[in-house]
Amino acid sequence: MENNKSGFDTRAVHAGDFKDQFGAVVTPIYQTSTFEFRNAEHGARLFAGEEEGFIYTRIGNPTIRSLEKKLAALENGTDAIAFASGMGAVSALFASFLGQGDHIISTAAVYGPSRGILESYFSRFGVAATFIDTSDPFAVERAIANNTKLIYIETPTNPTIKLTDIEQVAAIAHQYGIPVAVDNTFSSPVLQNPLDLGADIVLHSLTKFINGHADVVGGALIVKDEETYKRLHKTMAYFGANMDPHQAYLVYRGAKTLSLRVLKAQENAITIARWLEEHPKVEWVRYPGLESHPQYELAQRQMRGPGSMMSFGVKGGLQAGKKLMDSVQLAKLAVSLGGVETLIQHPASMTHAGLTPEARAQAGITDELIRFSVGIEDVEDILADLEQALEKI
Ligand code: LCS
């Protein structure tokens, strides 16, 4: 039986298991929208929160609950809430903490839509947002105002691979009584646990490493106290970005092999980053596992490993970058990341194309920047693919 002192992989395999009457080893898919009450009193007690149980799948479901308990165990939290997508989780987080006249501080280079939703939607409801380079904790302190209600950081950032010192930002924020939420998608709980570093909430796009097989979109918020859980859960149930039981089952299954996948991809990535750094057609490589990364020391301290996400610039800028993407054969030209397959993409024309050129420049997304999500294929095959594609530039 796993418990919260069990090792990471034991928790990944067993945490959240739901015991049914038949002794199923795997949590079944409870494909039901609603749950029958034993009687009127039972229904009343469930609605009043006086008894644990399930009412309606938008509010909760055993398969979804299993996944939530597993995610909480992997992030050393007390509870978690699953969402239909990572953006469902981002929206619920912001809607839970921000109202008319409030202010949020966020990493300038957060995932494009996480910034876009503040600029295009929350701004309409009187919420002000300041986007800064949170890799400088003093810039965070300078941005704090009387009405700051949340600090939202992403580390490492997508796709600029910049790190923020979670411990330092949390210490500053807490002096002012401001909660800190961290998008931990890029590291996964295998490599970094923000709650242990002082953060209050962790966000994941489950679409990425945690599901890991590029076949599900999903998101989650992980918390360490009951009050925050209730606040976020209420928003999820009201706004309706709930996960579906079948979706939950797939993520639950994928999460069991999380560290095997993350560590193999990371091993590949370390070899590839070093190889790219020596390549004559490559201008620069940004990867937290390279001594050349400006925050190499922070990466060593904060992360248990550098992961498998990197960005690099090819000599020849935009045109050379496009040529590279049109020439790769094994690596797939696609957005998303963190799956078993190697993916390559060009943020300036794809994921971050919706930002203004100024916002892109502020976020460090230069035209030649290529994002590379290293998969678990044989490293020799990924290198051979890159070599033949770089030759064509
Ligand atoms: N946070 C990060 C760091 C992400 O990379 C993404 C999606 C999200 C949140 C949103 O999650 P979703 O709703 O897609 O599950 N990132 C994507 C990317 O880099 N390419 O396509 C999607």
Side-chain angles (χ1 to χ4, degrees), residues 85-87 111 154 158 183 205 207-208 218 335-337 351 371:
S85 68
M87 283 313 298
Y111 175 58
E154 192 178 301
N158 176 7
D183 184 334
S205 166
T207 316
K208 313 299 184 316
V335 297
S336 202
L337 57 104
T351 38
R371 188 182 76 178

Side-chain angles (χ1 to χ4, degrees), residues 80-98:
I81 303 158
F83 290 86
S85 68
M87 283 313 298
V90 173
S91 322
L93 172 70
F94 293 166
S96 298
F97 282 87
L98 304 169

Side-chain angles (χ1 to χ4, degrees), residues 2 131-132 164 209 232 234 267 376 390:
E2 114 293 336
F131 297 96
I132 54 165
T164 292
F209 292 100
L232 293 166
K234 185 174 179 183
E267 195 184 307
I376 66 166
L390 284 165

Side-chain angles (χ1 to χ4, degrees), residues 36-48 50-51 55:
E36 187 181 5
F37 307 129
R38 288 193 299 275
N39 51 41
E41 176 59 20
H42 178 223
R45 289 177 63 78
L46 288 178
F47 270 102
E50 289 164 0
E51 188 178 326
I55 297 172

